[in-house]
Amino acid sequence: MIDEMTTVLEPNPLPDFVETKYIKDITHRALSYIKAGFPVHLRGTSGTGKTTLAMHIASKLNRPVVMIHGDEEFTTSDLVGGEYGYRLRKVVDRFISRVLKTEEDMVKRWVDNRLTVACKYGFTLIYDEFTRSRPEANNILLSILQEKMMDLPVGRGGEEPYLRVHPDFTALFTSNPEEYAGVHRSQDALRDRMITMDLEYFDYETEVAITRAKSRLSRQNAETIVKIVRGLRQSGKCEFPPTIRGCIMIAKTLKIQGMTPANTNGNFMQICQDILASETSRVGSKTNQDKVRQIVKELVENVSK
Ligand SMILES: Nc1ncnc2c1ncn2[C@@H]1O[C@H](COP(=O)(O)OP(=O)(O)OP(=O)(O)O)[C@@H](O)[C@H]1O
Ligand SMILES: [Mg+2]
C-alpha cells in the first residue's frame, strides 16, 4: 500500500487520442530508447503535443504514472518530500468522562513526494516543463538518472541515506526551447543524461485527425480549418505561429453552433479571425492583429473557392 500523499495516475489510454503514422513513429522510437534504459525528453514549442505524447508513451509502459509540473518556486523537497504537520492525539479518560486530554507532539512526520514515490515503487515519472524549475531543485535527478541512486535528505529517517531506484522506474521529460533563455538555462548535465527528441508541428494528416477527434466535424470541414491554420503558420507573419489548439477552438465553436465553413454568412471568417488573431499575439498589438486578420481573410476566401 502506498500511504504517501501523492496522486498516482492509472496508465490508461487518453480519450480522443489519435494515432496517425507520425504519432506511432515517435511513440515507437521513444519506447525503444526507454527499453534501452534511457529517459526520454520531448522538446518542442507550444502545441506540438509534448504533454499528450508523454502521457501516451507512459500509458504504453503499463506502470502507474506520477506527474510533476515544473515550477520556478520548486525546491528539492517539493520533489523528494519533507516534514509536514504535527501529530495530534486525543486522550479520553473513560472513568471521568469530562476529561478530554489533547496531546500535541512536535515531531513532524516525513512525507515522501512524487519523485521519491516513483523511484521507490518503479512508477513512470512525467516531469512536464522541467526547465521551469530552478536547476538546483532538479539536481537530485542527476544521480537518479545516472547511478540509479537517490540521495535522501536527513530527516526522512530509515536505514540508508539513499534509496536504490526501482528497476521499473522510467522518466519522461518535456520542455519548450523558447523558455530556456527566458527562465533558466537548460540544465546541461541533466539533458546529457536523457535522449532528446525534437518535435515539430504535427503533419497535415495528424492535424486533421486531431481536429476531427476533438470536434466530430466531417473530414472535409476539418480539412478546411487545418488548411487555414497551416497557411497562417507558413506565412511567417505571426509573432507566435498558430497551433493545433487554434484548429480545435475553431472546430469546436463551429460544431456547437451547428455551422460548417460553407453556411455561416461570414461568421466563419469572423470566428477564424478572432481565434487566430488572439492566439498569435501576446500583447494584443493592434497592428499585428490587423495583419493577421488580413492574412486570415485571404486564406478563408481562398479555401472557400
Ligand atoms: N495524438 C493526439 N490525439 C488527440 N489530441 C491530441 C494529440 N496530440 C495532441 N493533442 C491535442 O493537441 C493540443 C496540444 O497538445 P499538448 O497540450 O500535448 O501540447 P504541448 O506541446 O504540451 O503544448 P504546451 O507547450 O503549450 O504545453 C491539446 O489540446 C491536445 O489534447
Ligand atoms: Mg504541455
Side-chain angles (χ1 to χ4, degrees):
M1 232 266 295
I2 302 158
D3 56 1
E4 286 84 358
M5 293 195 301
T6 290
T7 318
V8 178
L9 309 167
E10 287 292 314
N12 288 334
L14 306 166
D16 300 335
F17 188 83
V18 300
E19 266 193 289
T20 54
K21 187 179 169 303
Y22 172 83
I23 305 280
K24 279 196 183 128
D25 180 48
I26 296 175
T27 309
H28 176 76
R29 274 154 55 211
L31 287 171
S32 58
Y33 300 140
I34 289 170
K35 218 173 263 169
F38 300 108
V40 166
H41 168 206
L42 303 174
R43 180 169 62 185
T45 52
S46 203
T48 44
K50 303 177 292 293
T51 309
T52 316
L53 263 167
M55 289 166 80
H56 176 65
I57 295 163
S59 81
K60 297 275 181 195
L61 294 170
N62 268 325
R63 297 284 304 157
V65 177
V66 168
M67 197 155 182
I68 301 175
H69 297 277
D71 187 323
E72 195 168 356
E73 304 278 295
F74 259 4
T75 61
T76 303
S77 71
D78 290 313
L79 300 172
V80 179
E83 294 174 300
Y84 297 98
Y86 291 91
R87 204 160 40 191
L88 202 68
R89 256 192 329 186
K90 270 186 188 169
V91 180
V92 183
D93 192 313
R94 288 181 190 282
F95 297 100
I96 312 169
S97 61
R98 280 165 292 131
V99 174
L100 176 71
K101 198 173 152 220
T102 311
E103 276 181 11
E104 202 174 332
D105 72 38
M106 300 291 281
V107 183
K108 289 185 177 178
R109 202 166 74 90
W110 178 275
V111 178
D112 282 343
N113 268 352
R114 295 178 187 192
L115 183 59
T116 311
V117 170
C119 289
K120 194 154 103 183
Y121 298 100
F123 293 167
T124 303
L125 170 78
I126 300 180
Y127 195 163
D128 202 29
E129 312 279 7
F130 81 99
T131 47
R132 284 191 187 169
S133 307
R134 278 172 294 124
E136 309 88 86
N138 285 341
N139 273 345
I140 181 91
L141 280 157
L142 295 174
S143 65
I144 294 177
L145 300 184
Q146 188 78 58
E147 285 88 28
K148 310 281 183 248
M149 289 287 187
M150 180 176 189
D151 293 319
L152 292 171
V154 264
R156 185 174 182 268
E159 329 67 58
E160 311 246 21
Y162 58 82
L163 178 87
R164 208 174 287 276
V165 174
H166 191 290
D168 287 340
F169 171 78
T170 307
L172 285 159
F173 297 85
T174 81
S175 76
N176 184 336
E178 285 165 1
E179 291 184 352
Y180 292 170
V183 191
H184 301 295
R185 261 183 314 110
S186 166
Q187 302 157 48
D188 291 330
L190 196 50
R191 199 180 33 76
D192 201 28
R193 286 160 167 78
M194 27 173 118
I195 294 184
T196 298
M197 298 174 71
D198 279 305
L199 302 184
E200 302 291 326
Y201 289 110
F202 294 114
D203 65 335
Y204 179 76
E205 273 312 316
T206 308
E207 283 198 307
V208 172
I210 294 176
T211 307
R212 286 191 69 187
K214 296 277 177 190
S215 66
R216 314 269 164 220
L217 280 187
S218 71
R219 179 170 179 97
Q220 193 194 355
N221 292 337
E223 282 194 88
T224 304
I225 296 168
V226 169
K227 278 179 189 153
I228 293 164
V229 171
R230 289 177 80 88
L232 179 61
R233 193 182 293 151
Q234 276 148 20
S235 74
K237 298 274 166 56
C238 302
E239 198 183 345
F240 301 98
T243 73
I244 182 69
R245 294 205 178 94
C247 301
I248 297 172
M249 285 177 193
I250 297 171
K252 279 193 166 168
T253 309
L254 285 192
K255 183 70 183 182
I256 207 91
Q257 309 262 356
M259 294 179 191
T260 67
N263 74 354
T264 62
N265 297 326
N267 272 336
F268 178 58
M269 170 97 71
Q270 188 77 59
I271 292 168
C272 289
Q273 286 180 322
D274 284 345
I275 291 177
L276 296 175
S278 67
E279 203 205 342
T280 53
S281 69
R282 182 183 285 153
V283 281
S285 127
K286 182 104 180 55
T287 349
N288 263 338
Q289 295 219 1
D290 287 346
K291 201 163 58 188
V292 171
R293 279 173 186 276
Q294 183 55 36
I295 303 169
V296 172
K297 182 167 180 287
E298 287 159 21
L299 287 163
V300 171
E301 283 164 358
N302 263 335
V303 291
S304 318
K305 268 182 197 161

